[in-house]
Amino acid sequence: MNNRPQTLGEFIIDHQRDFDYASGELSQLLSSIRLASKIVTREIRKAGLTDILGASGIENVQGETQMKLDDEANDIFLKALKNRGIVCGVASEELDDFIVFDEEKHSDSKYVVLMDPLDGSSNIDVNVSVGTIFSIYRRITPAGQPAKLEDFLQPGKNQVAAGYVVYGSSTMLVYTTGKGVNGFTLEPSLGTFQLSHPNMQMPADGKIYSVNTGNYLKFPQGVKDYIDYCQDVDAETNRPYTGRYIGSLVSDFHRNLLKGGIYFYPQGTNAPKGKLRLLYECNPLAFLAEQAGGIATDGKHRILDLEPTELHQRVPFFVGSKNMVEKAMSYVTE
Ligand code: AHG
Ligand code: MN
Ligand code: MN
């Protein structure tokens, strides 16, 4: 009788009982992320208009009083996370240090959130997809005290939920709570996310490799050899692969999740530890990748096993289809 797709709200409530300790708080936390992502969607759509006006010579509309969109996305998520009193602290790629929420309503809050509020923001001005990445942990320190650094410096395998929003031709929210990966598309006229991609699985093989080859000369020899392998001709293994690199990690990851592929941002002479951030970018995407049957590694270790030492730590990152990442590792670790 009911053929309409499930909404994200319905899905969250339906799956609340998956958790032994479910008290509805994680559901409320996911709801605040859902709300923030709708607001960011609206702002991003407006930002296009603002840019057009600015280019027409109306300088005042932009100027210093207007926040950059990545700061704005940061504020929108911070407010939504703070309002419900479920979260005791947030760390963000946009902030030097973590923020502690310590009003009365946060006194029993169990969760911390780490986020990249606007990923790929250099793509905003040219109307190319950007995203938000989020990662959720239970705090380690006792509730009732201010959140501490150790609550944020947990290995990725401790994540209780993670996901991303991609603001593309449509807005999609994709997340996991450790029981598979599900994707929801924003139906703009209703303003509801609807389950469009249930139980997402990353194909074990693929034909897409995603890397900034402008850095080729700076990469370690193993990485160069693997790129050469991707470009070699061999009909049996579908090579040469197709090179696809948007420069928005979320969008590159999302495409490879759907179609099969590998994304990598290795270390290079300019970036001895790579560019991507372990806590805000790599851990959440690694959690999603593994939940969808893929692999994420820094070239030597499983990303989710790394013990973070600082908030803005960078790591080399190889993520994607299982067989492709394994093949890449056979070159990289040689
Ligand atoms: P952010 O916009 O959050 O700073 O992230 C940008 C990241 C990531 O989205 C992308 O994959 C990568 O930077 C692109 O870097 P290069 O331009 O060096 O390839
Ligand atoms: Mn980013
Ligand atoms: Mn960012």
Side-chain angles (χ1 to χ4, degrees):
M1 176 180 126
N2 185 359
N3 285 327
R4 78 164 168 78
Q6 199 171 26
T7 68
L8 176 55
E10 291 165 348
F11 184 91
I12 289 172
I13 290 165
D14 251 23
H15 290 77
Q16 194 166 301
R17 68 184 85 93
D18 286 352
F19 298 94
D20 302 339
Y21 47 79
S23 59
E25 286 163 282
L26 184 61
S27 303
Q28 288 188 52
L29 173 43
L30 291 167
S31 300
S32 43
I33 289 171
R34 174 185 61 179
L35 172 64
S37 64
K38 285 188 211 173
I39 301 173
V40 171
T41 298
R42 187 192 65 191
E43 296 308 307
I44 284 175
R45 307 303 178 205
K46 275 199 301 197
L49 285 174
T50 317
D51 284 342
I52 290 164
L53 288 174
S56 312
I58 307 169
E59 298 287 327
N60 289 347
V61 179
Q62 299 194 351
E64 290 174 0
T65 50
Q66 191 193 29
M67 283 198 288
K68 284 171 56 190
L69 208 49
D70 41 9
D71 289 337
E72 203 164 329
N74 187 57
D75 281 355
I76 290 166
F77 273 91
L78 278 182
K79 272 188 199 122
L81 291 168
K82 190 175 181 189
N83 276 351
R84 300 207 186 181
I86 308 295
V87 174
C88 60
V90 174
S92 163
E93 195 195 75
E94 295 297 331
L95 302 170
D96 288 347
D97 208 351
F98 61 90
I99 289 188
V100 174
F101 296 154
D102 55 3
E103 289 169 15
E104 178 61 32
K105 66 180 170 192
H106 303 109
S107 58
D108 290 327
S109 304
K110 296 189 194 75
Y111 294 102
V112 294
V113 175
L114 295 93
M115 64 176 179
D116 177 357
L118 202 64
D119 171 70
S121 50
S122 67
N123 279 319
I124 271 285
D125 288 348
V126 291
N127 215 338
V128 170
S129 302
V130 293
T132 296
I133 311 175
F134 60 90
S135 168
I136 302 171
Y137 296 81
R138 282 168 80 83
R139 65 183 301 173
I140 293 177
T141 55
Q145 300 175 10
K148 297 203 176 72
L149 183 60
E150 63 201 89
D151 294 316
F152 298 93
L153 296 186
Q154 300 189 51
K157 63 186 174 199
N158 289 5
Q159 288 171 105
V160 293
Y164 60 81
V165 185
V166 56
Y167 311 96
S169 43
S170 60
T171 293
M172 261 193 86
L173 191 154
V174 175
Y175 82 102
T176 183
T177 53
K179 299 199 171 351
V181 179
N182 291 280
F184 300 81
T185 301
L186 184 62
E187 207 289 297
S189 62
L190 290 173
T192 54
F193 282 101
Q194 303 190 354
L195 180 60
S196 52
H197 296 64
N199 191 22
M200 296 170 84
Q201 295 289 324
M202 188 176 255
D205 270 305
K207 289 198 303 187
I208 295 173
Y209 74 109
S210 311
V211 60
N212 184 344
T213 46
N215 295 325
Y216 181 90
L217 293 177
K218 300 172 195 160
F219 288 148
Q221 191 55 46
V223 173
K224 289 182 186 170
D225 292 344
Y226 177 65
I227 293 173
D228 296 346
Y229 168 85
C230 294
Q231 297 174 349
D232 271 351
V233 179
D234 177 42
E236 216 169 288
T237 50
N238 273 319
R239 288 177 292 140
Y241 293 153
T242 300
R244 288 284 183 273
Y245 189 74
I246 297 169
S248 279
L249 174 62
V250 167
S251 314
D252 280 311
F253 178 85
H254 183 67
R255 181 202 51 242
N256 292 357
L257 170 60
L258 292 176
K259 295 192 176 250
I262 181 171
Y263 174 99
F264 46 112
Y265 207 113
Q267 62 274 52
T269 44
N270 283 1
K273 293 179 177 163
K275 176 184 184 188
L276 299 176
R277 266 91 174 211
L278 174 61
L279 296 180
Y280 314 117
E281 292 168 321
C282 305
N283 271 338
L285 296 188
F287 190 18
L288 287 159
E290 287 196 5
Q291 283 294 315
I295 295 183
T297 164
D298 69 355
K300 292 197 179 97
H301 316 99
R302 178 183 178 228
I303 290 288
L304 296 181
D305 284 336
L306 298 175
E307 293 282 346
T309 53
E310 52 183 315
L311 280 179
H312 297 286
Q313 187 171 341
R314 296 171 194 269
V315 285
F317 192 43
F318 302 79
V319 65
S321 295
K322 183 173 179 293
N323 296 341
M324 295 182 87
V325 177
E326 278 173 357
K327 186 74 185 176
M329 288 309 102
S330 73
Y331 283 90
V332 168
T333 52
E334 246 170 32

